[in-house]
Amino acid sequence: MRHLTSVPETPEPLMDVPAVAAYLSVKTSWVYDHRRDLPFFKVGNQLRARRTDLDQWLNQQRAA
């Protein structure tokens, strides 16, 4: 009898600044100017974001 194991959930890929800019349809300079408002975190000295966090942030902006 084989032992069934669950497949681990694939983590959401992280987006760098150019990917965030493309996703939001803005320039990378705009992303850097608003980095304190956006849901970024640092990996080493680089900014990274998750698409789901950006989507939540966008929904909050619409409500504000």
Side-chain angles (χ1 to χ4, degrees):
M1 178 185 266
R2 278 198 303 167
H3 208 170
L4 298 177
T5 59
S6 62
V7 176
E9 191 174 316
T10 304
E12 182 179 357
L14 299 177
M15 301 170 70
D16 60 7
V17 170
V20 170
Y23 184 65
L24 298 177
S25 300
V26 296
K27 294 181 179 184
T28 55
S29 60
W30 185 92
V31 174
Y32 281 116
D33 289 344
H34 294 86
R35 68 184 174 271
R36 296 197 192 282
D37 301 322
L38 295 167
F40 275 117
F41 55 92
K42 282 191 160 191
V43 176
N45 64 349
Q46 307 225 343
L47 295 174
R48 294 291 184 263
R50 289 188 180 98
R51 184 169 296 196
T52 54
D53 294 341
L54 291 171
D55 289 339
Q56 286 179 337
W57 178 82
L58 285 170
N59 286 333
Q60 290 171 354
Q61 300 312 301
R62 186 179 354 185

